[in-house]
Amino acid sequence: MSYPYQIRSMDDYTTAWKKSVEDPAGFWSDVAQHFTWKKPWNRVLDWNFRDPSVKWFDGAQLNITENCIDRHLADKAHQPAIIWEPNDPNAQQRILTYAQLHEEVCRFGRVLLNNGVKKGDRVCIYMGMIPELAIAVLACARIGAIHSVIFGGFSAQSIADRLLDANAEFIVTCDGAFRGPKDIPLKSVIDDAVIRCPFVKRVIVYMHTKTPVSMIKGRDVWWQDEIEIVKQSNQHDLPAETMEAEDPLFILYTSGSTGKPKGVVHSCAGYMLYTAYTFVNVFQYQPQEIHFCTADIGWITGHSYIVYGPLSAGATSLMFEGIPTFPDAGRFWDIIDKYKVNILYTAPTAIRSLMAFGLGPIHGKDLGSLRVLGTVGEPINEEAWHWYDEHIGKKKCPIVDTWWQTETGGVLISNLAGITPAKPSFATLPLPGVQPMLVDEKGNEITENNVTGNLCIKAPWPSTLRTTYGDHERCRVNYFATYDNLYFTGDGAYRDENGFYRITGRVDDVLNVSGHRIGTAEVENAINMHSGVVESAVVGFPHDIKGQGIYAFVIFSGNQSDQELIKKDITATVNRVIGPIAKPDKIQLVSGLPKTRSGKIMRRILRKIAEGELENIGDTTTLLDPGVVEEIKKGRL
Ligand code: PRX
């Protein structure tokens, strides 16, 4: 047995799940024994979902970086912690051993301190996928600052909204980021964002792409210069700050059904335990193996399964700067072959987009090192599942379909690789500690099988979100008030005769585009910022590669002689307000939207039209102007 808390058989799983439900405190304190604490806890679990208040290991003190780095120095100092593959396959790869990672994190922790960052301060990190991103994250955790990583595809305006919400006075960024053939000028985006945020005191800039940047005197400093200062001081170690178990570790913004993204807050101890536990168990990680999670650290998947989960388990985590199709659609397979990757964890959208290139890009690549495959972020269709199984896993690698959310911190429902059964397109069974439940619209539990319902969770798991930053009431209303005393996921699910769960998708106004969550209200707000737009309504539609595409119905005032130009302008507006990930795939200009007499947009009807179900759009008699539906149907794109 490689890890004392590793489940090794179906019986083990059944026993662990049972114990975790009957005696959560006993179960999780057994797991917690295997981590490093500065002070033990007084109480394992204290909770109620009404406030909500969730506390794990209250009274304990720790620092997550001692668990992710220091404790591995005794036996894994020279083992790679992070392997970095650059965007350009001909550029130099980098390997950071645990000893080197320790040194880098301590140094950058000192840089943060030298620049005035204190425990509890919020630090915004806006970087490309380079090792310094992981180093910056860990350095914040080392000194007890709260990191808020923003995905490198977000616009200046989205960044400013987040800086304001978190009142983040410190920013760590790069001059630019390479993504496929593009060089994205991150620092200049930050400059635009900071115009609205004069409270920002310091911007630390890592020079990576050598893109020209303007450095503002008194505010901006170069990462490399600051590191030099620390090196000169000859201070190599940096003792890890003492953190309370429930101190916040990070904020990560995510979309909901309202227009404004929420700052999901995770705390130190519970998040650490749960990401390590799920990493080891879901992927059945074995020491020395190379784990390749293709997500960006700007999303929760990267936080939990590139950085914290693997490192707290002493694993080797492979980080890739680029995109799957650059310089060609064989890039993932080249990387697997080059490093002899054992675990590949990616999104169905990536699988579907690579499938579209046929088998040519796989030809001649040795994928024999692969042992486990994983998917995350959206439902995987059976065709993609079988392609992944046959052509990538060569039918010898279990595929784990991991269902979870930014708010859940770690995987809640998934098969365990090779241990519990897989079923294509099913996430299958809950992890130990997780009690899923299906409810009907009224909140009544549905106990039978072969049913669909709204997916809720009955009791807290260690990495339950603790709050939404600066607005606890919002957290309560969003997640804990729809159904009494339950965490509501916002997802629908089907449960089969064996109790296996299949996630059917969001039941709220949130889209899942290429595995990224985008609130329809957020996209509408962005479209409405265009001066010619009177009103808009956004819905999702099935998209072969992205899973869901964005369909926008827009009422536009003024000259419409050049519709293509109007659509381009609207797209550019969304790009500027949110970022390229929220760009509508289709924009239909309409003269009106289907509304009820009380003025509510009937999205159900728009969804049917967007999906092409024109014959089956249901009752329109309650609409203010049923005629508008016919017009929209005729103009469907
Ligand atoms: O709808 C579910 C979908 O992604 C949502 C969570 O998005 P986010 O917070 O961005 O986190 C994504 C990565 C964990 C969920 O509410 N989702 C996630 N995983 C799956 C999934 N849908 C189906 N199957 C999955 N395995």
Side-chain angles (χ1 to χ4, degrees):
M1 201 179 335
S2 337
Y3 292 86
Y5 47 86
Q6 197 155 18
I7 292 166
R8 303 297 295 161
S9 66
M10 187 69 197
D11 280 352
D12 264 9
Y13 163 75
T14 314
T15 312
W17 190 81
K18 194 159 174 285
K19 169 147 193 204
S20 76
V21 169
E22 287 167 359
D23 176 19
F27 180 82
W28 288 108
S29 60
D30 285 351
V31 176
Q33 310 292 338
H34 305 290
F35 291 77
T36 301
W37 303 87
K38 288 175 187 278
K39 182 174 159 246
W41 49 92
N42 303 325
R43 204 176 148 85
V44 178
L45 174 61
D46 211 350
W47 70 286
N48 78 75
F49 273 174
R50 295 213 165 82
D51 288 346
S53 163
V54 174
K55 290 185 180 150
W56 284 93
F57 302 97
D58 210 24
Q61 292 178 332
L62 76 159
N63 187 293
I64 194 167
T65 68
E66 286 187 332
N67 285 277
C68 287
I69 308 173
D70 304 52
R71 70 174 170 143
H72 307 309
L73 295 178
D75 59 340
K76 298 193 175 89
H78 305 297
Q79 179 198 302
I82 293 176
I83 296 177
W84 179 72
E85 167 73 6
N87 180 62
D88 173 356
N90 299 316
Q92 187 59 45
Q93 69 185 58
R94 284 169 61 190
I95 292 176
L96 288 173
T97 63
Y98 273 96
Q100 288 163 332
L101 183 63
H102 179 260
E103 187 170 61
E104 299 282 352
V105 168
C106 289
R107 277 195 190 131
F108 194 65
R110 283 196 186 276
V111 168
L112 292 172
L113 292 172
N114 290 348
N115 280 278
V117 182
K118 295 185 302 299
K119 180 177 183 177
D121 284 345
R122 276 79 50 219
V123 178
C124 158
I125 303 178
Y126 184 69
M127 301 175 90
M129 280 287 284
I130 54 175
E132 282 65 27
L133 167 52
I135 291 166
V137 160
L138 292 162
C140 284
R142 187 86 175 168
I143 67 164
I146 302 169
H147 57 77
S148 167
V149 184
I150 301 179
F151 172 63
F154 277 114
S155 68
Q157 166 128 0
S158 296
I159 297 167
D161 290 344
R162 287 156 173 78
L163 290 172
L164 281 158
D165 189 77
N167 190 25
E169 296 176 331
F170 303 92
I171 299 177
V172 184
T173 189
C174 306
D175 48 355
F178 295 123
R179 270 183 76 75
K182 294 191 202 140
D183 168 358
I184 299 154
L186 297 183
K187 171 62 164 62
S188 93
V189 179
I190 286 289
D191 290 339
D192 288 345
V194 176
I195 293 170
R196 272 181 60 206
C197 307
F199 51 85
V200 169
K201 291 184 184 151
R202 187 70 81 237
V203 181
I204 303 176
V205 187
Y206 182 83
M207 188 190 287
H208 176 55
T209 52
K210 306 213 165 64
T211 305
V213 296
S214 71
M215 297 291 281
I216 304 297
K217 197 179 291 167
R219 190 195 71 186
D220 301 352
V221 294
W222 288 108
W223 170 304
Q224 281 95 338
D225 291 349
E226 296 297 301
I227 290 286
E228 222 21 70
I229 296 170
V230 172
K231 277 190 188 161
Q232 311 265 311
S233 73
N234 259 332
Q235 292 171 302
H236 295 297
D237 195 7
L238 172 64
E241 182 66 42
T242 299
M243 304 299 287
E244 300 296 326
E246 281 298 325
D247 277 343
L249 173 65
F250 66 84
I251 306 172
L252 187 58
Y253 284 87
T254 188
S255 296
S257 43
T258 58
K260 193 172 157 246
K262 298 177 287 254
V264 168
V265 176
H266 283 288
S267 60
C268 295
Y271 177 81
M272 170 183 80
L273 283 192
Y274 198 72
T275 51
Y277 182 83
T278 50
F279 171 71
V280 163
N281 281 301
V282 170
F283 301 106
Q284 287 294 309
Y285 184 81
Q286 304 297 323
Q288 315 293 327
E289 283 190 328
I290 296 177
H291 172 75
F292 177 19
C293 166
T294 70
D296 190 289
I297 294 178
W299 307 109
I300 191 69
T301 307
H303 281 58
S304 302
Y305 299 110
I306 295 178
V307 182
Y308 288 114
L311 298 181
S312 57
T316 297
S317 185
L318 193 146
M319 196 177 161
F320 172 43
E321 182 183 26
I323 58 171
T325 49
F326 181 81
D328 60 50
R331 191 65 195 277
F332 277 0
W333 325 129
D334 286 331
I335 294 173
I336 291 163
D337 191 347
K338 176 171 174 186
Y339 297 101
K340 304 296 168 223
V341 166
N342 306 104
I343 303 168
L344 174 66
Y345 190 31
T346 194
T349 187
I351 300 169
R352 288 192 297 266
S353 76
L354 294 175
M355 253 170 86
F357 288 89
L359 299 179
I362 305 171
H363 194 73
K365 315 284 162 73
D366 179 6
L367 306 182
S369 56
L370 285 172
R371 190 182 57 78
V372 172
L373 303 176
T375 69
V376 59
E378 48 174 328
I380 179 160
N381 47 314
E382 291 207 25
E383 194 193 353
W385 195 99
H386 286 294
W387 187 87
Y388 201 28
D389 181 40
E390 208 168 301
H391 300 294
I392 307 307
K394 317 287 182 198
K395 288 188 171 277
K396 68 173 183 54
C397 302
I399 299 177
V400 289
D401 178 349
T402 65
W403 172 83
W404 57 297
Q405 308 178 298
T406 305
E407 294 84 348
T408 71
V411 176
L412 293 198
I413 304 183
S414 173
N415 49 318
L416 311 181
I419 302 289
T420 65
K423 179 172 175 180
S425 85
F426 279 71
T428 74
L429 295 170
L431 268 284
V434 178
Q435 300 181 56
M437 174 173 157
L438 294 181
V439 300
D440 64 20
E441 292 299 327
K442 296 199 186 82
N444 299 317
E445 177 164 10
I446 309 171
T447 49
E448 323 72 90
N449 285 343
N450 293 314
V451 285
T452 305
N454 288 348
L455 179 63
C456 294
I457 313 288
K458 274 187 211 176
W461 57 100
S463 59
T464 306
L465 86 159
R466 299 304 198 260
T467 189
T468 46
Y469 192 79
D471 193 350
H472 194 61
E473 177 61 8
R474 198 163 171 216
C475 173
R476 190 186 71 79
V477 170
N478 258 288
Y479 305 105
F480 298 94
T482 314
Y483 303 112
D484 188 38
N485 220 16
L486 295 174
Y487 168 78
F488 176 43
T489 64
D491 281 329
Y494 167 77
R495 189 171 52 218
D496 78 359
E497 62 283 1
N498 298 314
F500 288 11
Y501 289 87
R502 177 159 69 90
I503 309 303
T504 51
R506 302 289 303 192
V507 294
D508 52 9
D509 288 323
V510 173
L511 305 180
N512 191 323
V513 180
S514 301
H516 301 315
R517 245 159 88 170
I518 300 169
T520 52
E522 226 180 308
V523 184
E524 288 164 8
N525 288 348
I527 293 174
N528 297 347
M529 286 177 84
H530 186 291
S531 60
V533 171
V534 179
E535 197 177 6
S536 64
V538 163
V539 296
F541 70 97
H543 188 289
D544 283 352
I545 306 283
K546 297 179 176 183
Q548 260 187 319
I550 301 179
Y551 196 125
F553 298 89
V554 178
I555 307 177
F556 194 83
S557 70
N559 184 346
Q560 299 192 15
S561 55
D562 191 344
Q563 291 219 351
E564 284 317 302
L565 184 62
I566 293 173
K567 291 179 188 179
K568 279 193 187 138
D569 284 351
I570 292 173
T571 305
T573 309
V574 175
N575 229 333
R576 177 160 290 273
V577 177
I578 305 176
I581 56 167
K583 269 199 292 208
D585 298 275
K586 295 183 181 180
I587 300 175
Q588 182 180 347
L589 301 184
V590 296
S591 67
L593 292 167
K595 286 191 180 170
T596 59
R597 292 200 174 83
S598 60
K600 206 169 150 268
I601 297 174
M602 295 281 280
R603 290 166 183 287
R604 176 175 56 78
I605 293 177
L606 293 174
R607 233 175 267 134
K608 291 274 184 196
I609 296 175
E611 287 166 4
E613 285 199 43
L614 303 184
E615 301 313 315
N616 185 22
I617 55 175
D619 186 15
T620 57
T621 53
T622 55
L623 292 180
L624 198 57
D625 174 12
V628 84
V629 175
E630 289 311 310
E631 180 215 302
I632 299 177
K633 275 165 68 174
K634 280 205 198 87
R636 180 177 177 271
L637 300 170

